Amino acid sequence: MSLATTTRPGPTERHARVAVGVLFFTNGALFANLLPRYPQIKAELDVTNAVYGLAVAAFPAGAIAAGMAAGVLIRRFGSAGVAVAGTILTGVWILAAGLASSFTVFAVALFLAGAMDAITDVAQNAHGLRVQRRYGRSIINSFHAVWSIGAVTGGAMAAGAIALGLSRGVHLGVSAAVFAVAALVARRFCLPGREADRADDPADGPAGDASGAPGRAGSAGPGRGPRTSWVLGALVLIATAGALVEDAGSSWAAVYLSDALHAPVALAASGFIALVGAQFVGRLVGDRLVDRFGQRAVARAGGLLVAVGMGVSLAFPTVPGTIAGFAAAGLGVATLVPAAMQGADELPGLRPGTGLTLVSWLMRLGFLFSPPVVGLIADATSLRTGLLVVPAAGLLVVLLAGVLRTRRG
């Protein structure tokens, strides 16, 4: 029986949903305010593409290092409090990265910002799932769509700050302060208590989940075998391919447009904005497309869109074409990570949550290794060649999408 028939959201749940949406918005906007500043920072630090790539990789490295601490903090302080504290500290370290006067300070600040961002991400998702259980139906995708709106807003804020000639200190200081206040206000409307207080989660337990699907007790089902391991590995690669494409937009779009294609600094921010904007559109329509065509078909179409869109834009480089290519890439990867996570969570022979945890953790390797790999290729050849990893990731998804679910019914 669907839980939507037994649980109705009241004012507390609706307010909490808005509050979690605010937290997702601030999380997307904070880091996006820094990304269009990367070309200026790289130029002032006077580093090579490889060194720049290593510095940028400090952000996902910090996320990997701190990711496992999120659960302990959430159990001790509650997901809402951890999400708000993480938001504030993320803003502080992003400001420090923007003001860095040396490679070391820049890398350390990004490492700490990445650590705080990872903790914030886990905490806000944990609280979003608490709210979802109270709703009795799936609403988690809407939060990720709001994150995309925040990322677009943050990128637009940065482009506007650059066009107005604001210094990085003023721009990022205002950004950190505004979103810290927003997070503190949102905290007042989050659900009370900590994750140990499960009485507020009527969907928890073996009876069912937020979609009305049967629950799983323990590790029921066939034992884990070679096929399960193969499918899990393929799902990790699909999620990592999606992460790699996202990272190419965040770490290299502005640099490529400004350095290789000589776009004005303010316009160079459009590559990243186009990617996350198209990703947001994909997340809005993704659920309906998956219901109609199945995850497998949607993922294959998305991978093909990434491969063709970015492949053509790199083969025939122009500023408008490159921005369109990044938009195609964002649209193509919109549903990949959720599809891989759902597939991993439903694998037989694994304890509930094991597959999801493995995919989430290993996916961060894409964010860790992508910047230095692209940087090394760029220094050896050109950044245009280094960005060929994006269409290659799209082709990988096309090849591996067979492990995903087909249309139901």
Side-chain angles (χ1 to χ4, degrees), residues 37 160-168:
R37 295 288 192 170
I162 292 170
L164 293 173
L166 294 180
S167 69
R168 291 198 298 274

Side-chain angles (χ1 to χ4, degrees), residues 56-161:
V56 172
F59 189 91
I64 290 174
M68 295 301 291
V72 176
L73 293 172
I74 289 170
R75 287 190 293 272
R76 182 174 179 84
F77 300 107
S79 55
V82 172
V84 172
T87 296
I88 296 171
L89 292 174
T90 299
V92 169
W93 290 116
I94 285 176
L95 173 60
L99 296 176
S101 58
S102 69
F103 163 82
T104 302
V105 174
F106 181 56
V108 169
L110 283 181
F111 181 91
L112 294 171
M116 294 300 102
D117 179 78
I119 291 172
T120 303
D121 182 52
V122 174
Q124 68 188 12
N125 274 283
H127 204 75
L129 289 170
R130 284 188 67 194
V131 178
Q132 177 171 275
R133 285 190 288 269
R134 296 274 286 258
Y135 262 69
R137 58 184 172 87
S138 177
I139 59 173
I140 195 69
N141 288 324
S142 68
F143 295 137
H144 288 269
V146 171
W147 184 95
S148 295
I149 297 176
V152 172
T153 302
M157 288 173 60

Side-chain angles (χ1 to χ4, degrees), residues 12-357:
T12 299
E13 290 75 24
R14 291 195 294 269
H15 293 161
R17 181 177 183 177
V18 173
V20 174
V22 170
L23 293 175
F24 270 81
F25 180 91
T26 60
N27 184 250
L30 274 171
F31 190 46
N33 265 277
L34 176 64
L35 296 176
R37 295 288 192 170
Y38 274 178
Q40 294 176 332
I41 296 172
K42 179 177 179 290
E44 290 182 12
L45 296 180
D46 191 25
V47 295
T48 66
N49 285 320
V51 172
Y52 165 77
L54 287 171
V56 172
F59 189 91
I64 290 174
M68 295 301 291
V72 176
L73 293 172
I74 289 170
R75 287 190 293 272
R76 182 174 179 84
F77 300 107
S79 55
V82 172
V84 172
T87 296
I88 296 171
L89 292 174
T90 299
V92 169
W93 290 116
I94 285 176
L95 173 60
L99 296 176
S101 58
S102 69
F103 163 82
T104 302
V105 174
F106 181 56
V108 169
L110 283 181
F111 181 91
L112 294 171
M116 294 300 102
D117 179 78
I119 291 172
T120 303
D121 182 52
V122 174
Q124 68 188 12
N125 274 283
H127 204 75
L129 289 170
R130 284 188 67 194
V131 178
Q132 177 171 275
R133 285 190 288 269
R134 296 274 286 258
Y135 262 69
R137 58 184 172 87
S138 177
I139 59 173
I140 195 69
N141 288 324
S142 68
F143 295 137
H144 288 269
V146 171
W147 184 95
S148 295
I149 297 176
V152 172
T153 302
M157 288 173 60
I162 292 170
L164 293 173
L166 294 180
S167 69
R168 291 198 298 274
V170 171
H171 160 216
L172 296 175
V174 169
S175 170
V178 167
F179 294 124
V181 171
L184 288 169
V185 172
R187 175 67 181 91
R188 296 182 56 196
F189 298 97
C190 290
L191 296 177
R194 298 185 300 222
E195 269 49 41
D197 304 323
R198 303 309 297 270
D200 65 319
D201 295 338
D204 188 49
D209 60 16
S211 65
R216 295 175 300 172
S219 56
R224 182 172 58 188
R227 172 166 173 75
T228 297
S229 299
W230 145 247
V231 172
L232 181 61
L235 292 170
V236 167
L237 289 176
I238 290 173
T240 302
L244 187 150
V245 173
E246 291 183 31
D247 181 76
S250 62
S251 299
W252 296 104
V255 174
Y256 177 65
L257 283 163
S258 62
D259 289 0
L261 302 183
H262 310 293
V265 175
L267 182 60
S270 300
F272 170 72
I273 294 173
L275 185 143
V276 294
Q279 188 180 55
F280 166 69
V281 173
R283 285 170 174 168
L284 282 181
V285 302
D287 287 334
R288 281 174 286 180
L289 291 175
V290 167
D291 286 341
R292 181 169 184 179
F293 301 106
Q295 290 176 339
R296 182 181 302 175
V298 173
R300 279 182 174 152
L304 188 61
L305 184 60
V306 172
V308 173
M310 278 301 294
V312 170
S313 70
L314 292 171
F316 306 99
T318 64
V319 172
T322 298
I323 294 173
F326 277 109
L331 186 62
V333 302
T335 66
L336 293 185
V337 172
M341 288 182 172
Q342 180 179 342
D345 201 43
E346 296 174 349
L347 278 176
L350 297 179
R351 295 178 60 192
T354 299
L356 174 60
T357 299

